[in-house]
Amino acid sequence: MSVILYILIVLLWGLSWIAIKWQQGDVAILVSIFYRFALAGIILFIAGKCLNKLQAVNFRQHKFLLLQGLCLFSFNFIAFYYSTHYIASGLTAVMMACTPIFNALHGRLFYQTRTNGYFWLGMLVGLTGISLLFIDEFKTASLSHDLFIGIGLSLLGTWCFSMGNMISIRHTRSQLQPYTATTYAMFYGSMALLIMIVLQGIPFTLDVSFLYLGSLFYLTVPASVLGFTLYLVLVNRIGAHNAAYVLLLTPMIALMVSSFFEGYQWTGYSTLGLLLIVVGNLISQFKMTYFTRIKCWFIGKQMGAGF
């Protein structure tokens, strides 16, 4: 079941990259994000009420749902979107791909969750792979004030996303289901976005083109309603640091989609990067028991040969 969830999330979020790009235009970034999560929250709430999926939530849980909404559905997206004003999207993707590292460190700090050496080796291989995917963008980057601002915003967004993951673990321990958590967190996140839009005097405009509305639908339903709910379920099943590895795999899907819609050209570097990301994922998810079984099998074959 976890493998199916993993693959679904990678596909849903991998396809969302091109949809986000199609959102850019006359509508302000904050307004587009608000539309996305406000609509997703409304859909989740109505469906939850109709299907009796929403749990009763006490005041203390609401406080953490508010924090999770700010981390997962507000501040992190603002940081990521604005970071692309200063640095190339590829560098932002690499910073986002550091989420499993943040989750591993935060998990150790807050929940005493341990990680093995295979996870760190897999992360190193995977990050090397994603860096190769965007090596052309790195070649054009130069040390500047904008570069450090962009990296700082990307890391801030990554930190916020990771903290949202940690709060999800707390929800699980307090018997709060991912569907309920996602619904209320999206509501709080969209309300925070609304306040920021009003305070900045940003106009509420709407692009009625098929491209904008189609991408908004995709980001609202498959990427948000399904994607985030399934992701929080995956966090509960395999742990925050392992689940977050999907953020290394989604750019890979995004570039495959880009090769069809935008004429992205694969090179030797990007192909090698693709291979390293897959290998890194396999290594990071590998358990010691598998190595033990392989070792026992090998020893058994050797002993059999000796006899």
Side-chain angles (χ1 to χ4, degrees):
M1 183 62 180
S2 295
V3 174
I4 296 174
L5 287 175
Y6 204 88
I7 294 171
L8 277 175
I9 296 165
V10 169
L11 292 174
L12 290 172
W13 284 358
L15 293 171
S16 71
W17 280 51
I18 190 70
I20 290 173
K21 185 167 183 178
W22 288 339
Q23 289 270 286
Q24 297 175 5
D26 296 332
V27 183
I29 290 175
L30 282 182
V31 175
S32 288
I33 302 173
F34 169 74
Y35 288 156
R36 172 182 178 177
F37 290 124
L39 289 171
I42 291 170
I43 291 170
L44 283 169
F45 185 80
I46 293 174
K49 282 294 185 180
C50 293
L51 300 174
N52 199 28
K53 286 288 187 179
L54 288 177
Q55 299 170 270
V57 180
N58 59 42
F59 178 72
R60 182 171 176 79
Q61 288 173 323
H62 268 294
K63 290 192 295 185
F64 282 96
L65 286 167
L66 170 60
L67 288 175
Q68 187 177 41
L70 295 176
C71 288
L72 283 185
F73 307 114
S74 182
F75 294 156
N76 64 319
F77 274 89
I78 294 171
F80 287 138
Y81 271 75
Y82 279 104
S83 70
T84 59
H85 290 181
Y86 297 95
I87 58 176
S89 59
L91 188 52
T92 299
V94 174
M95 297 298 105
M96 289 172 63
C98 293
T99 299
I101 296 176
F102 277 84
N103 281 357
L105 296 175
H106 286 149
R108 178 64 173 166
L109 176 64
F110 296 116
Y111 302 110
Q112 291 74 54
T113 304
R114 295 182 178 275
T115 52
N116 57 42
Y118 303 112
F119 167 77
W120 294 106
L121 176 60
M123 277 302 305
L124 177 62
V125 174
L127 285 174
T128 301
I130 199 171
S131 298
L132 289 174
L133 284 181
F134 298 102
I135 193 168
D136 290 334
E137 293 188 10
F138 297 154
K139 288 178 180 178
T140 60
S142 59
L143 288 177
S144 65
H145 186 253
D146 285 355
L147 176 67
F148 290 110
I149 292 176
I151 290 176
L153 286 171
S154 297
L155 289 176
L156 175 62
T158 304
W159 179 82
C160 287
F161 186 82
S162 177
M163 290 304 296
N165 288 195
M166 295 302 105
I167 297 171
S168 177
I169 295 173
R170 185 192 183 282
H171 290 330
T172 300
R173 296 187 176 189
S174 64
Q175 306 303 311
L176 194 62
Q177 297 299 317
Y179 187 94
T180 299
T182 305
T183 301
Y184 283 105
M186 277 192 184
F187 168 77
Y188 285 125
S190 59
M191 289 303 100
L193 289 167
L194 178 60
I195 292 171
M196 284 183 274
I197 291 169
V198 172
L199 290 177
Q200 295 181 52
I202 301 173
F204 283 92
T205 57
L206 180 64
D207 184 345
V208 295
S209 68
F210 176 80
L211 196 62
Y212 182 88
L213 294 179
S215 59
L216 179 60
F217 171 81
Y218 182 84
L219 291 171
T220 298
V221 181
S224 297
V225 172
L226 293 177
F228 278 99
T229 303
L230 294 178
Y231 177 76
L232 294 181
V233 171
L234 191 65
V235 168
N236 298 338
R237 293 176 69 94
I238 67 174
H241 54 283
N242 286 325
Y245 202 96
V246 299
L247 295 176
L248 271 80
L249 295 172
T250 51
M252 177 180 74
I253 301 297
L255 290 180
M256 290 181 179
V257 174
S258 180
S259 65
F260 286 100
F261 288 99
E262 301 174 306
Y264 174 80
Q265 299 294 319
W266 288 86
T267 65
Y269 284 120
S270 56
T271 304
L272 177 60
L274 177 67
L275 177 63
L276 289 178
I277 291 172
V278 174
V279 171
N281 183 50
L282 293 175
I283 294 173
S284 69
Q285 305 297 334
F286 221 60
K287 307 297 183 185
M288 177 65 79
T289 51
Y290 296 153
F291 281 111
T292 304
R293 290 173 187 172
I294 293 172
K295 182 178 178 180
C296 290
W297 176 83
F298 181 76
I299 293 174
K301 293 289 286 185
Q302 291 291 94
M303 291 177 65
F307 289 106

